[in-house]
Amino acid sequence: MHTSFNFRIPNIFFRKYFQLIAIAILFSSSLMGQNDTNKIKSVEIISSFKPSLLQAVKIDFSGSQLTSDTSRNIRMYEIPAQNLTYNYKSIPLKPLALSFDTLVTLGDRNFVKAGFGNFTTPYFKAGLSFGDGSKKLLNIYTDYTSSRGKIQYQNFSNFSVKATGSYFFSGHEAYA
């Protein structure tokens, strides 16, 4: 049986110190291991030793064929009943009538936004409201964006107008 040790010391810094420690151990063992030269060299036999080699175990690469299993094991399977209970119960929906918010005044919602971007891109957006907001209301919204440039398909223009109106009766609203 042969055993070998193989390990690496990854860092050069540790390799130098490892070499120094190994050399120090070798020198110290050689200094301690000096024998007395005055003694006569002799061999003392304590017991008889007969070296012998055991037969090597060899792997059989030509495997033997397995015996076929002809017995049939019939097993009974029990499937438990799938009685599932859920803790969640849905809440019934109760539709409510839409109540008119009296705190919001629907009139006087006018605004104007205007800007200018790069590549000659103007932007304009406005919202105007007409009416008192309690009996009648008309809102008009407009939006305009355009762009011009030297690149193909860069010329662009978009203009839109939207109008909404409401007329309030007693308890009802007509919206268009």
Side-chain angles (χ1 to χ4, degrees), residues 55-61:
Q55 290 293 331
V57 177
K58 296 181 181 179
I59 299 172
D60 185 14
F61 288 110

Side-chain angles (χ1 to χ4, degrees), residues 94-149:
K94 296 179 183 176
L96 302 173
L98 177 64
S99 61
F100 182 73
D101 191 4
T102 58
L103 298 175
V104 177
T105 58
L106 297 176
D108 300 331
R109 295 186 179 192
N110 300 321
F111 68 90
V112 174
K113 292 182 183 180
F116 201 85
N118 57 356
F119 300 115
T120 62
T121 306
Y123 173 76
F124 178 76
K125 187 172 186 177
L128 304 172
S129 53
F130 304 100
D132 58 358
S134 61
K135 291 283 184 188
K136 53 188 170 183
L137 180 65
L138 176 66
N139 293 321
I140 299 174
Y141 303 102
T142 181
D143 190 8
Y144 174 72
T145 305
S146 72
S147 180
R148 277 183 270 147

Side-chain angles (χ1 to χ4, degrees), residues 16 35 40 54 61 64 74 80 86 88-89 98 124 131 149 153:
K16 289 182 182 179
N35 294 332
I40 299 171
L54 296 175
F61 288 110
S64 61
I74 300 173
Y86 298 104
Y88 174 76
K89 293 183 180 178
L98 177 64
F124 178 76
Y153 305 116

Side-chain angles (χ1 to χ4, degrees), residues 15-36:
R15 282 187 191 172
K16 289 182 182 179
Y17 282 108
F18 180 77
Q19 290 173 352
L20 289 174
I21 291 170
I23 290 171
I25 290 172
L26 287 175
F27 278 126
S28 66
S29 66
S30 66
L31 292 175
M32 290 179 187
Q34 303 231 348
N35 294 332
D36 185 14

